[in-house]
Amino acid sequence: MDQLKVLFEEIGNYQRAIDGGRPFVEVRSDMYNRLLEASILLPPGNGHIWDDFRMWVMQEWAAAYQRAGDAEAEPWREFLKEIGEILEKSPE
């Protein structure tokens, strides 16, 4: 469980960095890897915790689209699809 706590802290740090202006493309792959690892370690019955994360990704996607259109929003759309595939397999 300690490793899971560290992973969630790292994911949160990435979220805060992006919210603070760090480009998504700089952290995308690291955030994806932490998410994948956390989804594997998460005990069954806790899959619902990803709902807020998905919502955050959707909000960032929408904001990117409003700022710069498809060019900036497309990486978010792809990321949402990728994490959807991972989290689909996460134990509920």
Side-chain angles (χ1 to χ4, degrees):
M1 291 311 260
D2 289 340
Q3 179 61 21
L4 192 57
K5 180 181 177 185
V6 168
L7 291 168
F8 281 125
E9 287 174 1
E10 289 177 355
I11 292 168
N13 289 340
Y14 290 129
Q15 287 178 281
R16 284 185 289 283
I18 291 167
D19 289 344
R22 188 167 180 191
F24 173 59
V25 295
E26 288 182 10
V27 299
R28 178 182 176 167
S29 119
D30 289 337
M31 188 163 51
Y32 176 87
N33 290 334
R34 299 310 181 281
L35 182 81
L36 177 60
E37 192 174 347
S39 72
I40 292 168
L41 295 175
L42 190 67
N46 292 290
H48 64 280
I49 66 161
W50 297 119
D51 293 345
D52 288 340
F53 184 76
R54 283 187 188 103
M55 183 60 68
W56 176 79
V57 172
M58 286 187 266
Q59 289 171 339
E60 291 296 323
W61 175 17
Y65 183 76
Q66 287 180 337
R67 264 191 318 272
D70 287 333
E72 191 174 327
E74 184 62 14
W76 284 103
R77 186 197 65 76
E78 292 169 355
F79 187 66
L80 185 61
K81 182 181 178 205
E82 291 168 359
I83 65 168
E85 292 168 0
I86 290 172
L87 301 180
E88 218 172 65
K89 299 172 189 168
S90 185
E92 289 296 322

